[in-house]
Structures are given as C-alpha cells and as structure tokens.
C-alpha cells in the first residue's frame, strides 16, 4: 500500500506540471479577448453616440437663435422714499452730534474772540503785524461768500421733458434701468423683440448674440456678463408655416450692459429704450413671461 502511494506521488506532480501551462495559456487568451471585447464595445458605443448626435443634429425640428438683453444702467440716483429720507436725516443728525469741531469752526471761534477783545480794548496790535501785512478775511465773510455762490448755483435738471417722450433716446429716465428693443420681421408681422440673430454653424451662441447687437448698426458698445444664456424662449410656428424639418424656434438670451453712452448714429432698424414697466405694452405675453424671469428691478 505504501509502495503504491510512493509511485502515485511522482505521477501527480507530473500531471500538475503539464496542466499549469495550459491554464496559464487559457487565462492569457481569455484576458486578451476580454480587453478586445471591452475596447470593441467602447468604440462601438462611441461611434453609436456620434452617429446619433449627427442624426439628431440633422433631423432637429427646432431652429436656434440668440438674443441680447442689453441694459442701460441708472445714471443718477433715484429719489428717496419717505422712510429713506427720514433715515438719511437721522444719520446726518447722529454724525453732527458725534463730530469734532472742524478747522473752519475753530477759525470762526478765534475770529469771534478777536472781535470781543478789540471791543473790550484788550487787543494787541502786534498780532496783526505777525501776519506780514496780509489782508485778514474773517470766517464769517467766507461763509457769506459761499452762501452767495450756493444761491447762484443751478443744478442740472433730473428730468428732461424732451428726452422723456423720446423712446429712442438714451437720455430718458436717467434714474431707471432701460432695456433695448428692436423691430423684427416675423412672418408677415413686425414685432418688437430683443435684438436677435439665427445661429450659424461654427459660432457659439454668445457670438451669435454679439452679431445680433452689431447688426443694429448703431455702434452700441456693450459688456457681456456671461458665456452662458440667462434664459430661453421656445415657440412654435403657425401651422401653415410648419414643415417636417422645422416646427419652431428656440431663443437663448444673453445679458449685456451698455458701456458707451455716446448718442448713436441713425439706424436702419428702429429701436426703443424702455423701462421694465413699459415692456408689457410692446412684447407678447408669452415672450414677456420668459423675459421677466431674468430681469431684476433696479
């Protein structure tokens, strides 16, 4: 029995040595095939996504446009409300009570003391000699002179009657923020919209919005606030104008701030500068609803 076990041991070792290379070869072959399958599946999925994107791009029934929401920020401060006026007066009173005496007030006290000493006969003329013969101007004389200048000063008017009625003027509503609207031909109608242009192959939506602003030929200098749109408006064309390849439009809005206030030259396209409260009378309700979402009251 023991002899049989001793003879079987070498046979088991030989059999295991022969099987190990076969298993190793099988593992290497399986790993290569697995890597190939993974690479093939990844390449196949990538190719499928690219093909799908091309198909979607070709067959998209929506036409893309970019519009610019150009704002002229307030030029002057708005009038204070009653509670703002009360708060302002309270702060001024607190500042006056806690303030120190200024140089002018110190000089005014010195002048009063000098006059009192002159009238009392207790005045030394050497004090005037120390000034080198310069003419002495009393603080009260300075105040009278400043008061006269203040009476003659006329501040510029906050409101210009001629500009307030001119909706194309940048000089109207100086204390409010204004928005630019331009007239566009949509089908057989003329509508007031924010300046917009159709997206072209090879440009970003922001570049399309910049081109829309440049198309006004009014030389408006603007600073765009972001590369991302602040809103989107989607609408369908009338049933008579729809086709299998075109259902409607998607308009992406980009915010910009007017950076140059020079009066624009005459333009081919009419345009308007309106306050937010005035937009409702010129924009369609659905369009106005989308615009209101990204407009902030100044």
């Amino acid at each position: 029995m023991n002899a049989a076990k001793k003879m079987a041991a070498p046979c088991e070792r030989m059999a295991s040595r022969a099987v190990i290379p076969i298993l190793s070869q099988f593992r290497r072959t399986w790993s290569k095939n697995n890597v190939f399958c993974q690479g093939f599946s990844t390449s196949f999925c990538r190719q499928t996504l690219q093909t799908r994107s091309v198909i979607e791009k070709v067959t998209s029934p929506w036409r893309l446009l970019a519009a610019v929401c150009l704002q002229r920020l307030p030029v002057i401060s708005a009038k204070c409300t009653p509670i703002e006026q009360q708060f302002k007066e309270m702060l001024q009173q607190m500042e006056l009570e806690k303030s120190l005496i200024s140089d002018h007030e110190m000089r005014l006290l010195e002048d009063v003391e000098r006059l009192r000493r002159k009238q009392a006969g207790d005045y030394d003329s050497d004090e005037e000699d120390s000034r080198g013969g310069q003419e002495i101007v009393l603080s009260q004389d300075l105040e009278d002179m400043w008061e006269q200048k203040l009476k003659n000063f006329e501040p510029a008017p906050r409101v210009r009657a001629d500009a307030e009625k001119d909706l194309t003027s940048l000089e109207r509503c100086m204390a409010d923020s204004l928005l630019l609207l331009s007239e566009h031909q949509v089908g057989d109608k003329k509508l007031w919209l924010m300046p917009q242009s159709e997206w072209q192959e090879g440009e970003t939506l922001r570049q399309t919005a910049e081109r829309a602003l440049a198309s006004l030929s009014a030389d408006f200098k603007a600073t765009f606030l972001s590369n991302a749109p602040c809103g989107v408006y989607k609408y369908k064309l009338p049933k008579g104008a729809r086709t299998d390849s075109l259902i409607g439009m998607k308009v992406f809005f980009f915010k910009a701030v007017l950076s140059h206030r020079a009066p624009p030259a005459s333009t081919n396209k009419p345009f308007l500068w309106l306050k937010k409260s005035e937009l409702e009378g010129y924009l369609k309700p659905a369009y106005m609803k989308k615009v209101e979402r990204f407009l902030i009251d100044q």
Side-chain angles (χ1 to χ4, degrees):
M1 189 70 177
N2 293 331
K5 289 182 178 180
K6 290 180 180 180
M7 294 178 63
C11 294
E12 290 177 358
R13 287 195 295 271
M14 294 176 61
S16 64
R17 291 174 182 173
V19 172
I20 289 174
I22 296 174
L23 292 176
S24 301
Q25 183 66 24
F26 176 77
R27 289 176 181 173
R28 286 195 296 270
T29 304
W30 179 83
S31 63
K32 289 181 180 179
N33 292 336
N34 189 30
V35 172
F36 173 77
C37 292
Q38 291 179 353
F40 176 78
S41 62
T42 303
S43 177
F44 178 78
C45 292
R46 190 179 301 160
Q47 187 67 23
T48 303
L49 291 175
Q50 291 177 355
T51 304
R52 186 182 301 172
S53 65
V54 171
I55 293 174
E56 289 178 352
K57 179 180 176 181
V58 173
T59 60
S60 176
W62 298 94
R63 187 171 295 170
L64 303 182
L65 297 95
V68 54
C69 176
L70 182 61
Q71 286 184 293
R72 190 222 65 188
L73 298 179
V75 180
I76 61 177
S77 60
K79 291 184 177 180
C80 294
T81 61
I83 191 170
E84 289 175 342
Q85 185 64 29
Q86 293 177 10
F87 184 71
K88 176 184 176 182
E89 293 174 356
M90 183 188 70
L91 290 180
Q92 290 177 344
Q93 183 64 27
M94 291 175 60
E95 183 179 359
L96 177 62
E97 293 175 356
K98 296 180 180 180
S99 63
L100 300 177
I101 298 178
S102 65
D103 293 341
H104 175 72
E105 291 172 325
M106 292 288 293
R107 183 178 175 183
L108 185 62
L109 294 176
E110 291 176 359
D111 292 342
V112 172
E113 177 64 18
R114 187 181 298 108
L115 289 176
R116 186 192 66 79
R117 289 168 56 189
K118 274 188 176 182
Q119 293 175 355
D122 185 18
Y123 182 74
D124 188 1
S125 60
D126 293 339
E127 295 182 9
E128 293 185 1
D129 296 337
S130 63
R131 298 178 179 267
Q134 295 180 357
E135 183 180 356
I136 300 176
V137 181
L138 299 179
S139 299
Q140 188 61 44
D141 296 336
L142 290 175
E143 289 188 1
D144 294 340
M145 186 176 8
W146 296 337
E147 188 71 24
Q148 187 63 34
K149 286 184 178 180
L150 180 60
K151 290 180 180 180
N152 297 333
F153 175 74
E154 293 184 6
R158 292 178 58 91
V159 178
R160 289 178 50 190
D162 56 340
E164 289 295 315
K165 298 179 181 179
D166 184 8
L167 298 182
T168 64
S169 174
L170 275 170
E171 304 300 322
R172 66 184 300 263
C173 303
M174 303 290 281
D176 299 304
S177 178
L178 299 181
L179 296 167
L180 177 65
L181 295 185
S182 60
E183 196 174 41
H184 292 264
Q185 185 74 34
V186 180
D188 56 348
K189 298 180 180 179
K190 287 186 177 182
L191 300 178
W192 289 103
L193 303 170
M194 292 185 177
Q196 65 182 29
S197 289
E198 185 177 349
W199 174 78
Q200 294 180 355
E201 186 72 26
E203 67 179 6
T204 63
L205 284 173
R206 170 171 168 171
Q207 290 173 341
T208 305
E210 292 174 348
R211 180 165 53 83
L213 185 60
S215 66
L216 294 178
S217 66
D219 196 25
F220 289 126
K221 304 297 182 181
T223 301
F224 280 76
L225 303 183
S226 175
N227 291 326
C230 59
V232 60
Y233 170 62
K234 181 174 71 174
Y235 66 94
K236 292 184 178 180
L237 296 175
K239 292 184 178 180
R242 296 181 196 173
T243 61
D244 295 337
S245 59
L246 180 61
I247 292 179
M249 309 286 187
K250 290 183 180 180
V251 184
F252 295 88
F253 298 96
F254 289 81
K255 273 192 174 183
V257 176
L258 188 69
S259 56
H260 184 58
R261 293 186 53 252
S266 59
T267 58
N268 297 327
K269 294 183 180 180
F271 62 93
L272 301 175
W273 287 101
L274 304 176
K275 297 187 294 184
K276 182 182 177 181
S277 59
E278 299 172 337
L279 293 176
E280 196 171 348
Y282 293 86
L283 299 179
K284 294 290 185 180
Y287 191 93
M288 180 65 188
K289 185 177 180 181
K290 297 296 182 180
V291 170
E292 281 182 330
R293 293 183 178 180
F294 56 83
L295 289 183
I296 301 176
D297 294 328
Q298 297 293 335

